[in-house]
Amino acid sequence: MKIDAVLGTDIDLAATAARHAETAGYAGAWVGDTNHDPFLQIMQAAQATENITVGTAVAIAFARSPMTTATSAYDLARYAQGRFVLGLGSQVKSHIERRFSMTWSSPAARMREYVLALKAIWASWQDGTKLDFQGEFYSHTLMTPFFAPEPHPAGPPPVYVAGVNVAMTEAAGEVADGFFLHPFTTRRYLDEVTLPALRRGRAKRGGTLDGFVVNGPMFVAVGRTEEELATAIAGTRARIAFYGSTPAYRPVLELHGWGDLQPELTRLTKEGRWAELGSLITDDILHTFAIVGTPAEAGPALYAKVGDVLARTSFYTPYDAEPGLLTELLAHVRPPAA
């Protein structure tokens, strides 16, 4: 299991953060699509590093046409000399329609078609295949030499798709090269829902999970002292509660018998009582979603929890964790002592 870093949202520090991640021993560095263009940050990260994987976790697919995304990703694969991974996510309806002014419908089916459109576009550039992609949501049938990038040795990047619920997960298994878990997941949900859905998707194309990359961030509440650990736990409880307030993530809670918590959390958010959310996350819920402890405790515990199923993971720390603490945690991620 490889451990990756998640770069911050400060575009001015993207190169510095990526360089630190490589020096510290992380296997990769991911950038989200929040308040800056993730592709610009990835270009900086690629320029500042030599060996680690760099990628988007995630770029919002439905905010961009497949052609726009294909162009940026193809160029980044070339620029990073094959180290770039295109991670895609759907976002939610309100953001797609009201923030991006784009179309929202049938997200799983749309994402499936989006990835297939990307691969058709890349095939036209890399292999000279005639571009003739005609789907329900996207159509790409024109590519003239003037607008076609020249083929390059790195070729198109792998595509990972993020998801939580069954339909999106199954679509990812069918058409993508990897899958991003949402941090709001549990080992039981992974075993009983996510992996079976991915296998069904792979089976549609006559494949298995061999070579398919399952990865994603895991909640880690870590501290060297009681004070640091208390801060980490408080931040983690609050973020678990925030995600739990979202109706789309209720199936994860329901699997554990906590489905009734979701509307209660939603009620608090609508009343503006954000500071109270974390108080509803019991110790049982906390420890089901998160690894908690000192670096020496949390590292082996993380490996024991997901080391047998995740090819890559990263530390999800929704609190102010100084880099030295996480570097110390990184050094302890290994199989538990016998």
Side-chain angles (χ1 to χ4, degrees):
M1 182 175 68
K2 296 179 179 179
I3 308 298
D4 299 327
V6 178
L7 305 186
T9 59
D10 190 335
I11 194 171
D12 297 321
L13 298 179
T16 301
R19 190 179 302 112
H20 175 270
E22 185 169 63
T23 301
Y26 289 95
W30 300 102
V31 170
D33 191 350
T34 54
N35 53 353
H36 294 289
D37 188 309
F39 299 128
L40 293 180
Q41 290 177 279
I42 287 297
M43 188 169 184
Q44 293 180 67
Q47 186 176 31
T49 57
E50 297 181 358
N51 301 306
I52 63 174
T53 298
V54 293
T56 53
V58 292
I60 305 306
F62 302 157
R64 303 167 172 88
S65 81
M67 184 64 71
T68 302
T69 300
T71 302
S72 296
Y74 196 67
D75 285 346
L76 283 171
R78 178 176 185 162
Y79 187 78
Q81 298 180 320
R83 294 186 290 126
F84 173 67
V85 174
L86 175 64
L88 296 174
S90 62
Q91 246 299 346
V92 295
K93 181 179 181 180
S94 59
H95 281 265
I96 296 302
E97 291 185 340
R98 296 170 53 201
R99 181 156 68 99
F100 294 110
S101 190
M102 298 289 277
T103 300
W104 173 273
S105 65
S106 307
R110 182 179 287 270
M111 182 65 78
R112 176 187 179 278
E113 191 173 292
Y114 195 102
V115 175
L116 292 175
L118 289 176
K119 294 188 174 185
I121 294 166
W122 289 331
S124 76
W125 297 340
Q126 189 72 13
D127 306 323
T129 305
K130 178 178 173 58
L131 181 59
D132 185 23
F133 183 86
Q134 300 182 57
E136 179 183 355
F137 308 102
Y138 302 104
S139 177
H140 300 278
T141 60
L142 176 64
M143 180 54 59
T144 60
F146 183 79
F147 293 102
E150 63 275 13
H152 58 75
V159 180
Y160 297 174
V161 169
V164 177
N165 293 329
V166 171
M168 184 68 76
T169 304
E170 193 167 314
E174 180 184 358
V175 300
D177 306 297
F179 179 73
F180 280 114
L181 301 173
H182 193 281
F184 192 76
T185 195
T186 67
R187 180 57 198 254
R188 183 179 171 188
Y189 192 84
L190 179 61
D191 288 338
E192 297 183 19
V193 179
T194 301
L195 292 176
L198 288 174
R199 291 189 184 101
R200 289 194 299 272
R202 299 300 288 172
K204 289 180 180 179
R205 55 188 291 179
T208 68
L209 288 179
D210 290 345
F212 186 85
V213 178
V214 182
N215 71 340
M218 301 299 295
F219 278 111
V220 178
V222 63
R224 303 184 190 94
T225 65
E226 290 186 7
E227 183 178 0
E228 283 184 344
L229 192 54
T231 298
I233 289 173
T236 303
R237 286 188 197 273
R239 189 59 57 86
I240 291 171
F242 170 74
Y243 285 134
S245 70
T246 305
Y249 302 152
R250 181 168 180 165
V252 184
L253 294 171
E254 287 182 333
L255 182 66
H256 293 270
W258 300 323
D260 290 343
L261 177 63
Q262 186 269 316
E264 179 65 12
L265 291 169
T266 300
R267 181 181 64 81
L268 291 178
T269 64
K270 290 181 177 180
E271 295 174 0
R273 297 161 63 183
W274 297 94
E276 299 177 36
L277 290 179
S279 65
L280 298 186
I281 303 303
T282 65
D283 286 347
D284 188 22
I285 297 173
L286 171 69
H287 287 274
T288 299
F289 280 95
I291 302 297
V292 181
T294 65
E297 295 167 338
L302 176 62
Y303 195 99
K305 183 176 183 178
V306 294
D308 61 327
V309 291
L310 296 191
R312 315 183 74 108
T313 190
S314 57
F315 307 139
Y316 192 71
T317 54
Y319 50 91
D320 188 14
E322 53 100 359
L325 176 63
L326 298 183
T327 301
E328 187 175 338
L329 172 61
L330 175 64
H332 286 285
V333 180
R334 60 176 69 97

